[in-house]
């Protein structure tokens, strides 16, 4: 096992990885940007070093500065967390060259799934279902028309180097094809430096289902079950659950076996995720994520597997400590991402200082967070405040716990999306497990959020005037009132 690991990330995921290190008796090195000097993760570490100014390009993406700290502190390995350098083949490659172990797959594996066209070809050759479409990049209209007519409209044009939903557009008829081909190529070139695009059948209301993978350096690969991540906004996941409400033992067997095959096809090692789109009873390989994901806690909660510790053990050359038959998903987990953002203003980030922050707890509740009262959420990084994960013996118990926990949160100083999560937990389609990637629009969730926000404001204002409190205290009182009211009402109604 390593003696010392550097964590090249910030906030809750840096803490998550350091917790794993501490349980493994491994010393931790944090690196932080100027605005994170007083962040919890920097204090949690055994050692912490500044790596540059706030903009990520000058700090958390600054390979030279990070590698320099690793060498100077004698860290034997680097855990990249998610985002930032976690799926950067150049960084993984530099670690390999400089004798530092990158806690993730090889730079070669990262590169081989970075191109969507190449990844799709590899998976198809391995016998894994892929969405019908062009085998190669498309640069002329004639080929595009031919492919589109063969698979039938609607089709989607996607950037091969794309990610995060950027560089993809739906085409519903031939007359739109030329313009979309050109515009998608332009976006692909400017966003990813590679104009290559491809075409595939557009699935109208798919569900996003993914499988967690663990693979060691001895050829052992297992899957650690499924997650469903259909509830998202502009390709930002907001709610995830495990298992997927549509999962059956037979489907899990088939998809899980394909996920393992997919990992084997790219010589995968460490933790990874195989994403599938599910539509009308069929599933298709979508892409592979070569990192520990934001939503990993739901898998940990239903399986008992500590994914971060497994990652570190694998990187240190240990064999997988589980066989496939040891993995069982017990009960139900749901994660809500609590962000500083305004669901009533297009989910626009709402950075600011947390004047009060109190999270939830109690039975079946797990909180992964990197903030504290007095901490400022800056516009430089994503606006995650807290990942709230609950476990229940079944889906209904998990939903009831989530509602109870959401009402226990007290956050004053920034606008959050907690109201959005309350609305979803109350939605009849959500409660029935009827999810799609268009869930928020399809069920007019924002109208429900408006009602919740208005009711909570009203409650706060009434109490504030009764107490003769000034304007500034109203928000704080509203938050406390919600907490007290929910306790009185039994919370999870
Ligand atoms: C699709 C699709 C429908 N049909 N491909 C969005 C992110 C990118 N990685 C792939 N995405 C999609 N690809 C075909 N052929 C719908 C989406 C999609 C989506 C996928 C997963 C989760 C949320 C999504 C939201 C909108 C669109």
């Amino acid at each position: 096992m390593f003696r010392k690991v550097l964590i090249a990330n910030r906030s809750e995921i840096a803490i998550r990885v350091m917790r794993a290190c501490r349980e493994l008796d491994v010393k931790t090195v944090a690196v932080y940007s100027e605005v994170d000097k007083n962040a919890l993760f920097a204090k949690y570490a055994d050692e912490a070093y500044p790596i540059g100014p706030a903009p990520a390009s000058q700090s958390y993406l600054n390979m030279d500065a990070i590698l320099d700290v690793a060498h100077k502190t004698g860290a034997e390995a680097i855990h990249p967390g998610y985002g930032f350098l976690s799926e950067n083949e150049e960084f993984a490659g530099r670690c390999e060259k400089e004798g530092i172990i990158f806690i993730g797959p090889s730079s070669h594996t990262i590169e081989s799934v970075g191109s969507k066209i190449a990844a799709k070809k590899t998976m198809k050759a391995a016998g894994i279902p892929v969405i019908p479409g062009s085998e190669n990049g498309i640069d002329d209209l004639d080929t595009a028309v031919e492919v589109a007519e063969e698979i039938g409209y609607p089709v989607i044009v996607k950037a091969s180097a794309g990610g995060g939903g950027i560089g993809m557009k739906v085409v519903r008829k031939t007359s739109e094809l030329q313009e979309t081909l050109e515009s998608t190529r332009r976006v692909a070139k400017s966003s990813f430096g590679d104009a290559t695009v491809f075409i595939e059948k557009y699935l109208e209301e798919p569900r996003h289902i993914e499988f967690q993978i663990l693979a060691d350096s001895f050829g052992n690969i297992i899957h650690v079950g499924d997650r469903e991540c259909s509830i998202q906004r502009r390709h930002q996941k907001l709610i995830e659950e495990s298992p997927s409400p549509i999962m059956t033992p037979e489907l899990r067997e088939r998809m899980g076996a394909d996920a393992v095959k997919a990992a084997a096809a790219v010589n995968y090692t460490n933790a990874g995720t195989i994403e599938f789109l599910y539509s009308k009873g069929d599933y298709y390989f979508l892409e592979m994520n070569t990192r520990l994901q934001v939503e990993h806690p739901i898998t940990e909660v239903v399986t008992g597997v500590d994914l971060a510790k497994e990652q570190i053990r694998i990187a240190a050359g240990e064999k997988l400590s589980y066989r496939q038959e040891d993995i069982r998903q017990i009960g139900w987990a749901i994660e809500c991402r609590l962000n500083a953002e305004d669901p009533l203003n297009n989910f626009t980030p709402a950075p600011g200082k947390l004047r009060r922050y109190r999270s939830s707890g109690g039975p079946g509740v797990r909180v992964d967070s990197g903030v504290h009262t007095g901490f400022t959420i800056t516009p430089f990084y994503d606006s995650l405040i807290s990942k709230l994960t609950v476990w229940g013996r079944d889906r209904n118990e998990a939903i009831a716990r989530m509602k109870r926990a959401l009402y226990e949160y007290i956050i004053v100083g920034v606008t959050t999306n907690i109201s959005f999560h309350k609305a979803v937990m109350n939605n009849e389609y959500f409660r029935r497990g009827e999810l799609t990637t268009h869930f928020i629009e399809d069920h007019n969730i924002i109208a429900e959020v408006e009602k919740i926000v208005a009711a909570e404001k009203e409650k706060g204002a009434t109490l504030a005037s009764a107490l003769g409190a000034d304007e500034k205290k109203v928000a704080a009182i509203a938050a406390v009132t919600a907490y007290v009211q929910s306790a009185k009402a039994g919370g999870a109604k």
Side-chain angles (χ1 to χ4, degrees), residues 34-66:
E34 275 167 18
V35 287
D36 278 337
K37 192 172 189 322
N38 295 312
L40 278 177
F41 78 91
K43 300 194 189 299
Y44 191 102
D46 295 307
E47 304 168 63
Y49 300 92
I51 45 166
S57 59
Q58 296 174 62
S59 49
Y60 299 106
L61 292 171
N62 186 341
M63 300 188 204
D64 289 332
I66 293 167

Side-chain angles (χ1 to χ4, degrees), residues 156 158 168 200-203 208 232 235 277 287 437:
I156 184 166
K158 289 184 178 178
M168 50 179 247
E200 59 187 27
K201 178 84 188 163
Y202 178 65
L203 309 172
H208 173 123
Q232 52 78 47
H235 307 291
L277 284 186
E287 52 193 74
T437 53

Side-chain angles (χ1 to χ4, degrees), residues 410-463:
I410 297 174
I411 297 179
V412 180
V414 301
T415 303
T416 78
N417 63 354
I418 293 179
S419 53
F420 166 82
H421 290 298
K422 290 173 180 171
V424 175
M425 292 303 130
N426 275 324
N427 181 271
E428 56 180 314
Y429 294 90
F430 179 80
R431 299 180 77 89
R432 287 204 295 268
E434 293 176 21
L435 314 177
T436 79
T437 53
H438 301 90
F439 183 87
I440 298 169
E441 301 82 15
D442 286 355
H443 303 303
N444 205 8
I445 298 299
I446 300 309
E448 296 306 310
V449 177
E450 274 168 359
K451 286 185 207 161
I452 290 170
V453 170
E456 289 189 356
K457 260 194 193 141
E458 169 94 24
K459 216 187 276 176
T462 308
L463 188 67

Side-chain angles (χ1 to χ4, degrees), residues 84-115:
F84 299 125
L85 294 170
S86 62
E87 298 184 279
N88 187 308
E89 69 219 43
E90 187 192 339
F91 184 64
R94 282 196 60 180
C95 290
E96 288 159 12
K97 272 199 221 87
E98 297 185 26
I100 289 170
I101 291 175
F102 177 80
I103 303 180
S106 70
S107 59
H108 181 258
T109 294
I110 297 174
E111 191 214 324
S112 72
V113 296
S115 152

Side-chain angles (χ1 to χ4, degrees), residues 248-282:
T248 61
E250 298 73 40
L251 184 60
R252 180 175 294 123
E253 184 87 29
R254 282 197 290 138
M255 290 180 83
D258 276 342
V260 168
K261 241 200 273 178
V266 292
N267 299 313
Y268 206 79
T269 54
N270 218 280
T273 298
I274 310 292
E275 293 185 356
F276 294 100
L277 284 186
Y278 174 93
S279 173
K280 303 187 174 104
D282 290 316

